[in-house]
Amino acid sequence: MTTPEGALVLFSGGQDSAVCLAWALDRFSRVETVGYDYGQRHSVELQARDAVRARMAEAFPHWAPRLGEDHVLEMRGFGAVAQSALTAERAIEMTAKGLPSTFVPGRNLAFLIYAAALADRRGLRVLVGGMCETDFSGYPDCRRDTLDAMQSALNLGMAQDFVIETPLMRLTKADTWALAQGLGGRTLVDLILEHSHTCYLGERDLRRPWGYGCGTCPACELRARGYEGWLAEGRPAIRA
Ligand code: ZN
């Protein structure tokens, strides 16, 4: 069952947002994607976006007519203000506040403001994001409480009726693969393994069972552990 409503997926080209895109294509009749150029150290992430979109439309022909425009919003000014390990040459470590240095303060909030402004113009009501508070790296802007507050603020401030959907919020990384399996079987799992990109260092030379990456940065460790956990547990597919 699809709903006639339109959705805008916050789509980085990573594993989580790729699963969110599939989730949205499975249920909404019109789906657009938005990505952000905030001066990431690696454009690999932005290239992965095109590959994932194209392959999904190819492998799942019933999704193809639902997949609408892709938007890339320039947010380099924000990146310059909120500089951290993702946008500058700085080691990935824990800070005094107990947050990884990869945390970009306010990033998800800024992304959502831009996404909502775009959704307003495009006539899309649902914003879909891959935020997750289960295995998450301690990012306070991934919490559902934060997003509930953000949803209220956006609706008040834009006189809108947006809904922020976070299909991965309560899932572990292993569950996320089970959800991909439920949405598109092994074809979708393989497509996401091959074309999505999560490594903080932008490494794409070595193909590992769980995809490409350096294998040692926090994003790779999380991705590898989640994939291996999913295989080991033999978990049944999750239907969205
Ligand atoms: Zn890595």
Side-chain angles (χ1 to χ4, degrees):
M1 282 288 285
T2 59
T3 84
E5 247 169 349
L8 179 63
V9 179
L10 280 70
F11 182 57
S12 69
Q15 168 197 335
D16 290 345
S17 66
V19 176
C20 286
L21 176 57
W23 179 88
L25 287 167
D26 188 54
R27 67 182 52 211
F28 299 105
S29 58
R30 182 159 67 101
V31 177
E32 299 188 8
T33 50
V34 60
Y36 304 93
D37 173 7
Y38 54 96
Q40 294 97 316
R41 283 199 299 205
H42 309 286
S43 58
V44 178
E45 199 176 275
L46 294 172
Q47 288 162 16
R49 301 175 71 253
D50 292 338
V52 169
R53 278 176 48 96
R55 298 305 161 100
M56 263 187 208
E58 218 171 77
F60 300 93
H62 60 295
W63 287 352
R66 299 177 194 168
L67 181 59
E69 273 184 53
D70 180 39
H71 311 267
V72 176
L73 305 181
E74 196 276 313
M75 289 181 68
R76 283 174 178 262
F78 175 78
V81 173
Q83 225 180 26
S84 83
L86 281 194
T87 48
E89 295 299 330
R90 190 172 139 189
I92 296 170
E93 60 199 15
M94 296 303 281
T95 67
K97 265 196 214 167
L99 287 168
S101 58
T102 47
F103 176 65
V104 181
R107 183 175 59 165
N108 279 326
L109 304 180
F111 285 179
L112 282 163
I113 293 175
Y114 274 66
L118 177 65
D120 179 282
R121 289 293 179 261
R122 304 289 305 163
L124 304 166
R125 194 174 82 94
V126 182
L127 307 175
V128 184
M131 301 82 167
C132 165
E133 59 181 31
T134 314
D135 279 339
F136 80 141
S137 319
Y139 293 177
D141 58 351
C142 287
R143 288 188 296 226
R144 189 62 231 189
D145 283 355
T146 304
L147 300 174
D148 284 341
M150 193 66 192
Q151 182 176 298
S152 299
L154 292 172
N155 287 334
L156 284 168
M158 297 191 190
Q160 263 285 5
D161 190 22
F162 292 124
V163 177
I164 301 176
E165 292 275 10
T166 50
L168 311 185
M169 185 55 73
R170 313 271 175 230
L171 302 186
T172 64
K173 288 284 177 234
D175 290 336
T176 302
W177 288 114
L179 176 59
Q181 170 92 27
L183 288 165
R186 189 69 217 187
T187 304
L188 183 62
V189 170
D190 286 339
L191 186 162
I192 293 172
L193 283 174
E194 185 65 27
H195 298 288
S196 74
H197 183 86
T198 23
C199 176
Y200 285 145
L201 304 180
E203 181 62 59
R204 270 196 89 76
D205 290 340
L206 199 57
R207 174 65 156 88
R208 303 166 191 275
W210 42 265
Y212 294 91
C214 72
T216 50
C217 77
C220 281
E221 277 181 8
L222 205 56
R223 180 163 166 149
R225 215 179 324 128
Y227 184 68
E228 282 153 16
W230 175 61
L231 288 184
E233 289 161 24
R235 191 171 305 220
I238 295 177
R239 272 307 298 168

